[in-house]
């Protein structure tokens, strides 16, 4: 893993996955200020403030509209990468985030809550392109066939750029998840009262996303375009050779060029499967169902409720308001640590142990929140059990469910089926993200402490499905995985 290759991986993750994580958590700490702005603006326009129900509806829409934008962006990313390449796609996406930052940054000055909602939807569009782009843009960017591991099956791995490096699949496959955790953590730190957590700073807090996006735009063009894109899509052998030499740090890249030419010939004769064909293909029925279960389960596990509404959860648990921002930052730090642990242990422990343990931990901790909230009146110290359970949910998620579903999507399918599988998994991912973000406040108002039992049930059922159906995919080709499913 050479320094240029590692650098561009980290750069794409920095401006893509980290922004996704930041946008997940950025609406948490300024929730009170944003609601007050909505209420004040409504009163100025119509002579009366918003009732609690409509106000909750507006704020839930502000939180969850991000996911709808992400859904649209993820559906467009394949077309954009094919037409403009990695650099072009990320450049256009950066322009979107600059536009979104302008909408959110000037929303209060212009007295327009609609600008906040539009800005959030545009940031979702950016994240849909670039967060999937960190997996499906810099995934193909790093993809090269590895004959030493393919055993003649034509299997292509996501991340190995050199023959024999397939053991890096798991590690590099979880790198974007680390940056998502870092993005969440930075949003929590900047939301402290000493920084941007005050009422007058919340528009700036929402628009900080323009800084890492601009930095990525400036630095990304210091690196060459994806060698795979140059050779396979543009048929530019000289450009691909030059790019490979820079990324691999060696002048001898003819073996890799030969492999990529073989892949080009293979792809030219390969018929790519559509989503409808994938859903009807009985030979990959269980793989498709598994991708749907793990991607939907990842978002319905309750982690989005934790990220979007941490402040509200801690308030209901009885944590003093002055302590909530610092408690939230503490949970974010643990999130980063657990993400690193998962990243460095995945190739030793395998996919199944990490993801099953992660979902089980999340389910048990969700049930623990319910019990703690029911007993907090009689036992005031139960508020700290709620904090411990929230930490447990975050730790369990970062241990495996945060990144392994995306890695499994690549490992369960051949190249002909993989794009359609990513569309299925990504669409379910964003739709479930929207569902949790929009419904959770109303679920909490109607079900109270018992709302967390919904997440508990989903987590345990997904863990059971993985245990019974999905095999270990570490160091296995698609043909080996397919035989296990059969």
């Amino acid at each position: 893993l050479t320094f240029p290759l590692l650098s561009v991986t980290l750069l794409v993750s920095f401006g893509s996955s980290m922004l996704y994580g930041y946008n997940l958590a950025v609406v948490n700490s300024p929730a009170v200020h944003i609601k007050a702005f909505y209420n004040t603006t409504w009163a100025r326009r119509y002579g009366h403030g918003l009732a609690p129900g409509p106000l909750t509806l507006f704020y839930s829409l502000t939180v969850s509209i991000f996911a709808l934008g992400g859904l649209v962006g993820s559906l467009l990313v394949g077309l954009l990468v094919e037409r403009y390449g990695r650099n072009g796609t990320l450049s256009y996406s950066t322009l979107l985030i600059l536009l979104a930052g302008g909408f959110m940054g000037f929303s209060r000055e212009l007295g327009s809550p609609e600008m906040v909602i539009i800005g959030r939807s545009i940031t979702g569009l950016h994240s849909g392109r670039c967060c999937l782009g960190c997996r499906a843009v810099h995934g193909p960017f790093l993809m090269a066939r590895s004959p030493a591991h393919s055993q003649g099956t034509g299997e292509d791995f996501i991340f190995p750029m050199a023959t024999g490096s397939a053991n890096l699949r798991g590690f590099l496959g979880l790198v974007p998840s680390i940056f998502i955790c870092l993005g969440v953590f930075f949003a929590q730190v900047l939301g402290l009262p000493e920084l941007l957590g005050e009422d007058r700073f919340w528009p700036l807090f929402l628009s900080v996303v323009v800084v890492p996006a601009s930095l990525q735009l400036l630095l990304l063009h210091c690196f060459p375009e994806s060698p795979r894109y140059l050779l396979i899509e543009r048929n530019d052998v000289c450009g691909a050779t030059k790019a490979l030499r820079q990324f691999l740090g060696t002048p001898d890249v003819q073996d890799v060029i030969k492999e990529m030419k073989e892949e080009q010939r293979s792809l030219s004769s390969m018929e790519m499967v559509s989503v409808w064909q994938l859903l009807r293909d009985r030979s990959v029925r269980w793989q498709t169902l598994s991708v749907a279960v793990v991607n939907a389960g990842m978002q319905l596990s309750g982690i989005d409720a934790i990220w979007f509404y941490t402040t509200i959860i801690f308030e209901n648990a009885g944590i003093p308001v002055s302590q909530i921002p610092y408690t939230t930052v503490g949970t974010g730090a643990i999130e980063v640590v657990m993400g690193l642990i998962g990243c460095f242990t995945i190739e030793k422990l395998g996919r199944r142990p990490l993801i099953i343990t992660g979902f089980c931990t999340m389910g048990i901790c969700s049930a623990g929140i319910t019990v703690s909230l029911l007993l907090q009146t009689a036992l005031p110290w139960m508020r700290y059990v709620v904090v411990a359970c929230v930490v447990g949910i975050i730790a369990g998620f970062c241990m495996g469910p945060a990144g392994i579903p995306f890695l499994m999507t690549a490992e369960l399918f051949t190249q002909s089926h993989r794009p359609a599988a990513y569309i299925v998994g990504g669409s379910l991912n964003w739709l479930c993200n929207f569902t949790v973000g929009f419904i959770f406040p109303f679920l909490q108002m109607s079900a109270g402490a018992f709302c967390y039992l919904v997440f508990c049930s989903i987590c345990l059922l997904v863990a059971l499905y993985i245990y019974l159906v999905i095999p270990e995919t570490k160091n296995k080709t698609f043909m080996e995985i397919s035989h296990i499913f059969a």
Side-chain angles (χ1 to χ4, degrees), residues 73-96:
S74 65
L75 294 175
L76 295 175
V77 68
L79 177 64
L80 291 171
V81 173
E82 183 179 346
R83 178 171 297 183
Y84 300 112
R86 182 209 67 216
N87 285 0
T89 299
L90 294 177
S91 297
Y92 284 121
S93 298
T94 302
L95 296 178
L96 283 178

Side-chain angles (χ1 to χ4, degrees), residues 173-400:
L174 293 189
V175 166
S177 301
I178 299 298
F179 279 85
I180 292 175
C181 297
L182 285 171
V184 171
F185 179 66
F186 287 148
Q188 293 166 339
V189 171
L190 289 177
L192 292 174
E194 295 82 357
L195 298 175
L196 300 180
E198 295 184 9
D199 178 52
R200 59 197 176 106
F201 289 134
W202 69 261
L204 176 61
F205 186 28
L206 295 182
S207 58
V208 163
V209 291
V210 302
V211 176
S214 301
L215 184 61
Q216 182 194 55
L217 181 63
L218 291 174
L219 296 180
L220 192 61
H221 292 281
C222 298
F223 296 92
E225 182 56 85
S226 158
R228 191 173 181 274
Y229 169 76
L230 291 172
L231 193 146
I232 294 177
E233 301 293 340
R234 293 282 188 86
N235 203 30
D236 183 0
V237 179
C238 293
T241 302
K242 183 179 178 181
L244 280 171
R245 286 173 177 168
Q246 181 171 345
F247 282 123
L248 298 181
T250 175
D252 185 15
V253 296
Q254 292 308 309
D255 289 342
V256 182
I257 291 290
K258 182 180 178 180
E259 292 173 11
M260 294 173 69
K261 286 183 176 180
E262 291 175 0
E263 182 183 3
Q264 184 184 36
R265 288 191 293 269
S266 174
L267 289 175
S268 64
S269 61
M270 181 186 300
E271 183 179 353
M272 304 305 289
V273 173
S274 67
V275 172
W276 179 242
Q277 290 172 325
L278 176 70
L279 296 177
R280 295 183 62 188
D281 190 344
R282 295 177 62 86
S283 67
V284 292
R285 176 181 54 189
W286 283 102
Q287 290 93 317
T288 305
L289 180 60
S290 299
V291 165
V293 168
V294 295
N295 278 278
M298 175 176 63
Q299 297 297 340
L300 297 177
S301 63
I303 189 63
D304 289 318
I306 298 296
W307 279 335
F308 289 147
Y309 302 107
T310 308
T311 299
I312 297 174
I313 292 172
F314 285 161
E315 282 179 359
N316 292 337
I319 303 297
V321 176
S322 60
Q323 297 179 13
I324 288 177
Y326 307 99
T327 306
T328 302
V329 170
T331 62
I334 294 172
E335 182 176 357
V336 174
V337 172
M338 294 306 299
L340 289 170
I341 291 174
C343 192
F344 285 100
T345 59
I346 185 171
E347 287 301 339
K348 292 184 179 180
L349 300 179
R351 282 64 159 154
R352 269 169 53 89
L354 285 177
I355 196 169
I356 291 174
T357 303
F359 274 117
C360 288
T361 301
M362 297 176 75
I364 293 170
C365 290
S366 295
I369 292 178
T370 297
V371 174
S372 302
L373 291 176
L374 292 175
L375 297 177
Q376 68 175 343
T377 303
L379 302 171
W381 53 269
M382 277 291 177
R383 69 184 64 171
Y384 302 109
V385 177
V386 172
V387 175
C389 289
V390 169
V391 170
I393 291 173
I394 292 173
F397 179 77
C398 295
M399 189 186 304

